[in-house]
């Protein structure tokens, strides 16, 4: 058996050295309703992700549920002074955004949730800070959070490119 010190070192190493450097860094804010296996923002090759204004990005979240889920409401917020609704995020039905699975979901099931993220054309990037903290939550039918993570994004305010189509 490993000593307590060796066990602690292994846990710290696993936290500080992710096994796949391509996944987006995040901090879980869930109360235990699911375990987030990874978060990917595509395309994103840096941390924090540098998102150009008015372009589209895919967010994929792989999670293992610790409770059954029959429905879910997605809440995406950006932290300015406090957490406020993320501008332009419209699709709030968690079950409609599952890939290869459908609600109801069972405890222990691993699922892939995929959604779009952008800074909409009608939002003035001049008022947004260059770095945003984004919180992504999924609430169950009783408004309890069963999935939550926080990540940082950098807003590229100088991008003059046209919106990138999502394939």
């Amino acid at each position: 058996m490993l000593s307590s010190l060796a066990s602690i070192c292994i846990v710290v190493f696993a936290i500080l050295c992710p096994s796949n450097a391509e996944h987006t860094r995040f901090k879980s804010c869930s109360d235990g309703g699911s375990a987030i296996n990874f978060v990917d923002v595509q395309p994103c090759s840096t941390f924090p992700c540098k998102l150009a204004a008015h372009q589209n990005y895919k967010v994929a979240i792989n999670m293992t549920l610790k409770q059954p889920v029959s429905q879910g409401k997605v809440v995406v917020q950006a932290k300015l002074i406090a957490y406020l609704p993320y501008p332009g995020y419209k699709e709030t039905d968690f079950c409609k955004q599952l890939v290869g699975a459908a609600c109801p979901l069972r405890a222990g099931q691993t699922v892939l949730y995929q959604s779009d993220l952008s800074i909409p054309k009608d939002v003035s990037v001049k008022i947004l800070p260059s770095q945003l903290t984004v919180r992504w939550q999924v609430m169950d039918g009783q408004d309890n959070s069963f999935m939550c993570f926080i990540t940082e994004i950098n807003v590229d305010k100088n991008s003059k490119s046209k919106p990138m189509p999502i394939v």
Side-chain angles (χ1 to χ4, degrees):
M1 281 184 64
L2 294 173
S3 70
S4 296
L5 181 58
S7 298
I8 292 170
C9 288
I10 290 171
V11 170
V12 169
F13 181 78
I15 291 170
L16 294 178
C17 300
S19 61
N20 186 341
E22 294 180 19
H23 293 312
T24 303
R25 291 185 211 161
F26 68 93
K27 179 182 176 188
S28 178
C29 49
S30 293
D31 289 336
S34 67
I36 300 172
N37 302 316
F38 66 80
V39 173
D40 278 332
V41 177
Q42 295 295 328
C44 173
S45 58
T46 62
F47 183 80
C49 288
K50 187 173 186 178
L51 304 184
H54 316 306
Q55 291 201 15
N56 300 315
Y57 298 87
K58 284 282 189 199
V59 176
I61 305 158
N62 180 288
M63 68 187 93
T64 302
L65 301 170
K66 294 182 180 178
Q67 65 187 46
V69 173
S70 60
Q71 62 183 352
K73 177 178 74 174
V74 180
V75 178
V76 180
Q77 299 172 313
K79 187 173 186 178
L80 299 173
I81 295 170
Y83 280 104
L84 302 170
Y86 189 87
Y89 187 80
K90 295 182 172 92
E91 182 54 69
T92 61
D93 189 335
F94 169 75
C95 295
K96 286 183 181 178
Q97 298 175 88
L98 293 171
V99 177
C103 290
L105 304 168
R106 66 186 184 290
Q109 188 172 355
T110 298
V111 296
L112 180 64
Y113 159 87
Q114 194 168 13
S115 189
D116 300 329
L117 179 69
S118 68
I119 300 172
K121 291 179 182 178
D122 59 345
V123 173
S124 172
V125 293
K126 293 177 184 175
I127 64 169
L128 292 175
S130 293
Q131 187 163 359
L132 280 176
T133 300
V134 176
R135 179 170 62 191
W136 207 289
Q137 283 184 287
V138 182
M139 314 298 276
D140 65 16
Q142 290 76 41
D143 278 340
N144 297 314
S145 174
F146 68 86
M147 190 284 299
C148 180
F149 75 89
I150 297 169
T151 192
E152 302 292 325
I153 62 170
N154 281 341
V155 179
D156 182 358
K157 297 180 179 189
N158 299 319
S159 175
K160 304 278 188 225
S161 59
K162 294 181 180 177
M164 178 183 73
I166 294 179
V167 203

